[in-house]
Amino acid sequence: MTARQALFVGGSWAEPDGGHYEVIDPATEEAVGWAPEASRDQVLAACAAAREAFGPWSRTPPEERAAVLARAAGIITARLKEYASLARAETGATTGTARAMQVGVAAARFLRYARVEPAEWAIPPQINEAGPMGRAGVLGALAVRQPVGVVTCVTSYNNPWANPAGKIAPALAMGNTVVVKPAPQDPLSVYRMAEALEAAGVPPGVVNVVSGRSTGVGEAAVASPDVDMVSFTGSTAVGQRIAEMCGRDMKRQLMELGGKGAAVVFDDADLGSAVAGIGTTFSFYSGQICTAPTRVLAQRGIYDRLVEQLAAYSGRLKVGDPREPDTVVGPVISAAHRDRVESYIELGRKEGAVVVAGGERPDPPRGFYVAPAVLADCTNDMRVAREEIFGPVVAVLPFDDEEEGVALANDTDYGLIDYVWSGDVARAFRVARRLRAGGVGVNTVGRNMEAPFGGFKRSGVGRDVGSYALHAYSEVQAIVWPG
């Protein structure tokens, strides 16, 4: 069990004014450790420390900032097993997921932004033959990227390593300073990340971490006059509240919000590949990922076979202790969230859907487990087909032709990641271009980690990942001079 954690503010470890609260292992329902509850004054102090550190850090040569990030990546890699053990205990992720997709991805992200190419910093100079107000002359122009300033990073509970690293690393690479407010369910991993950055030589105030269960902690970190930008990953409802707060002061925003991804499966698709892709993704991390294809739109000619095969696939997924090597699906994050997921499954039944697989509580006597559920005979007006459940539940809907499939896929409040399976590659790409989503997988659920990531509609604002993250954490400045 981890000792009582202190806050990280201005380069020092401080005892929280609000005391501590227990962090619970969702697989065992036992305490993992004690997380600090920051007061509003401590949050504002963290923001002020980040403001004070911004000037010196933004003027630090990029290669020196990169060296700090590279050292942090090395420290995280060296401590991978230790950090992954904590991540598994806090989140309920399987051991393999905690090592590879949480801590491993975090190290890779720090290393990626330690290798920023010159082309990612500036746009090539432009020459304009006409001077201002139509006067003759030659003017040169250079567009450069400047750091935004102080960035509040509000991170999600589903990946307390990769998600914060995806915010902190590009923000620091661009010369910003950060205040990180981790999710209350699993903040201890983020403090370990702060320790790694401290050991890597990050100057005081450049990285600050404040946590708490109270909504006042996050609101103070967003509303502080020292903050210039908010980067948030989480629910659409909370994102809307943050956007309203940011709008009052015209603060920059990067919002990665909810999803209700459609998987459009045509009757000429490789059905085995489609079932495997959908099955692995909607059950990954117990369905607590916004990129999951939780609406499966199957062309009527293969609808029955797809439902049958997806139900069989889901039934083969071992649900249980995430420490066991053959476990595929661990627990959801909390008892309250398990109840929420189960309530949606029951709602689906009441709406007329047929639960053809899963949905029950598996054998483990303790822990917050839900067996992956497949709901057939759904229609697009059902709440289970429209609302983000954020659990291992997939709704399957039939469609007749391409036009109807596209219309159903786009008939949603969300637009993060969609998927298309078809043996006709030209049709698959044609459909992909018509989908109102920030990303589309064609015959794959894989992601390219340099491709932009973000959503349309209520799935978010802005793009990150790869060079796009550097753009997100910067302002473009034009410098003009006589030629």
Side-chain angles (χ1 to χ4, degrees), residues 271-281 310 313 421 445:
L271 203 55
S273 174
V275 167
I278 294 165
T280 56
T281 309
L310 190 56
Y313 188 99
W421 269 275
V445 292

Side-chain angles (χ1 to χ4, degrees), residues 385-412:
R386 303 200 67 83
E387 298 177 12
E388 184 178 40
I389 300 172
F390 217 59
V393 181
V394 64
V396 191
L397 297 76
F399 71 92
D400 288 312
D401 55 26
E402 182 177 316
E403 288 301 317
E404 185 184 12
V406 171
L408 281 173
N410 288 334
D411 183 13
T412 175

Side-chain angles (χ1 to χ4, degrees), residues 216-454:
V217 174
E219 290 189 353
V222 169
S224 166
D226 288 314
V227 170
D228 302 292
M229 174 181 171
V230 177
S231 176
F232 171 70
T233 301
S235 72
T236 296
V238 175
Q240 289 171 322
R241 169 62 178 154
I242 291 174
E244 291 171 358
M245 297 174 69
C246 289
R248 291 197 290 266
D249 297 315
M250 299 301 293
K251 294 180 180 181
R252 298 295 179 263
Q253 304 164 42
L254 178 59
M255 298 280 184
E256 196 268 282
L257 307 177
K260 193 70 177 178
V264 184
V265 186
F266 288 96
D267 54 13
D268 63 350
D270 180 335
L271 203 55
S273 174
V275 167
I278 294 165
T280 56
T281 309
F282 98 88
S283 62
F284 178 74
Y285 193 31
S286 302
Q288 297 168 122
I289 55 170
C290 51
T291 58
T294 52
R295 289 187 303 144
V296 177
L297 312 181
Q299 197 162 14
R300 205 169 293 276
I302 50 94
Y303 179 83
D304 290 337
R305 283 189 293 144
L306 187 145
V307 169
E308 180 183 355
Q309 291 183 29
L310 190 56
Y313 188 99
S314 300
R316 292 193 296 268
L317 298 173
K318 180 186 174 182
V319 182
D321 189 340
R323 293 167 295 189
E324 296 181 1
D326 59 340
T327 293
V328 178
V329 181
V332 296
I333 193 67
S334 67
H337 191 54
R338 177 189 58 193
D339 293 345
R340 180 178 185 273
V341 173
E342 290 177 338
S343 73
Y344 267 102
I345 296 169
E346 182 57 31
L347 174 63
R349 287 193 178 97
K350 292 178 180 178
E351 290 181 316
V354 178
V355 181
V356 295
E360 71 280 358
R361 291 189 186 183
D363 290 335
R366 295 177 65 82
F368 312 128
Y369 296 92
V370 180
V374 178
L375 278 59
D377 297 343
C378 295
T379 58
N380 212 40
D381 58 348
M382 293 180 178
R383 287 179 60 190
V384 290
R386 303 200 67 83
E387 298 177 12
E388 184 178 40
I389 300 172
F390 217 59
V393 181
V394 64
V396 191
L397 297 76
F399 71 92
D400 288 312
D401 55 26
E402 182 177 316
E403 288 301 317
E404 185 184 12
V406 171
L408 281 173
N410 288 334
D411 183 13
T412 175
D413 292 334
Y414 298 101
L416 188 57
I417 303 289
D418 284 344
Y419 306 87
V420 180
W421 269 275
S422 174
D424 182 342
V425 175
R427 174 169 67 176
F429 275 87
R430 180 175 68 244
V431 169
R433 293 290 297 271
R434 297 180 64 191
L435 296 178
R436 300 294 295 166
V440 181
V442 173
N443 292 326
T444 183
V445 292
R447 284 178 52 201
N448 182 311
M449 297 311 294
E450 289 297 314
F453 181 76

Side-chain angles (χ1 to χ4, degrees), residues 35-344:
E37 183 79 38
S39 66
R40 181 176 182 277
D41 287 345
Q42 287 179 310
V43 176
L44 296 179
C47 298
R51 170 60 58 196
E52 183 176 355
F54 169 66
W57 180 250
S58 65
R59 294 189 295 271
T60 299
E63 58 271 19
E64 293 184 23
R65 299 199 295 259
V68 172
L69 298 180
R71 288 194 295 270
I75 292 167
I76 292 169
T77 300
R79 300 175 181 172
L80 188 146
K81 288 186 178 180
E82 170 196 344
Y83 289 160
S85 178
L86 175 60
R88 185 214 54 73
E90 281 194 289
T91 67
T94 64
T95 298
T97 295
R99 290 182 180 179
M101 303 305 295
Q102 295 195 5
V103 183
V105 170
R109 287 181 169 173
F110 277 108
L111 198 58
R112 160 62 177 89
Y113 294 107
R115 297 171 178 165
V116 176
E117 298 295 329
E120 296 176 310
W121 285 94
I123 300 168
Q126 304 293 319
I127 299 297
N128 178 15
E129 295 293 340
M133 304 298 292
R135 292 191 292 270
V138 178
L139 295 178
L142 176 66
V144 297
R145 295 196 176 276
Q146 297 279 15
V148 177
V150 176
V151 181
T152 287
C153 302
V154 184
T155 67
S156 58
Y157 74 73
N158 63 341
N159 199 324
W161 281 92
N163 184 263
K167 300 178 186 297
I168 296 169
L172 265 54
M174 287 303 301
N176 302 283
T177 56
V178 298
V179 176
V180 186
K181 194 281 178 185
Q185 297 93 334
D186 48 15
L188 301 178
S189 289
V190 183
Y191 285 106
R192 299 290 82 74
M193 190 181 299
E195 288 179 354
L197 284 160
E198 182 185 31
V202 68
V206 171
V207 175
N208 307 269
V209 183
V210 290
S211 60
R213 293 177 296 181
S214 148
T215 57
V217 174
E219 290 189 353
V222 169
S224 166
D226 288 314
V227 170
D228 302 292
M229 174 181 171
V230 177
S231 176
F232 171 70
T233 301
S235 72
T236 296
V238 175
Q240 289 171 322
R241 169 62 178 154
I242 291 174
E244 291 171 358
M245 297 174 69
C246 289
R248 291 197 290 266
D249 297 315
M250 299 301 293
K251 294 180 180 181
R252 298 295 179 263
Q253 304 164 42
L254 178 59
M255 298 280 184
E256 196 268 282
L257 307 177
K260 193 70 177 178
V264 184
V265 186
F266 288 96
D267 54 13
D268 63 350
D270 180 335
L271 203 55
S273 174
V275 167
I278 294 165
T280 56
T281 309
F282 98 88
S283 62
F284 178 74
Y285 193 31
S286 302
Q288 297 168 122
I289 55 170
C290 51
T291 58
T294 52
R295 289 187 303 144
V296 177
L297 312 181
Q299 197 162 14
R300 205 169 293 276
I302 50 94
Y303 179 83
D304 290 337
R305 283 189 293 144
L306 187 145
V307 169
E308 180 183 355
Q309 291 183 29
L310 190 56
Y313 188 99
S314 300
R316 292 193 296 268
L317 298 173
K318 180 186 174 182
V319 182
D321 189 340
R323 293 167 295 189
E324 296 181 1
D326 59 340
T327 293
V328 178
V329 181
V332 296
I333 193 67
S334 67
H337 191 54
R338 177 189 58 193
D339 293 345
R340 180 178 185 273
V341 173
E342 290 177 338
S343 73
Y344 267 102

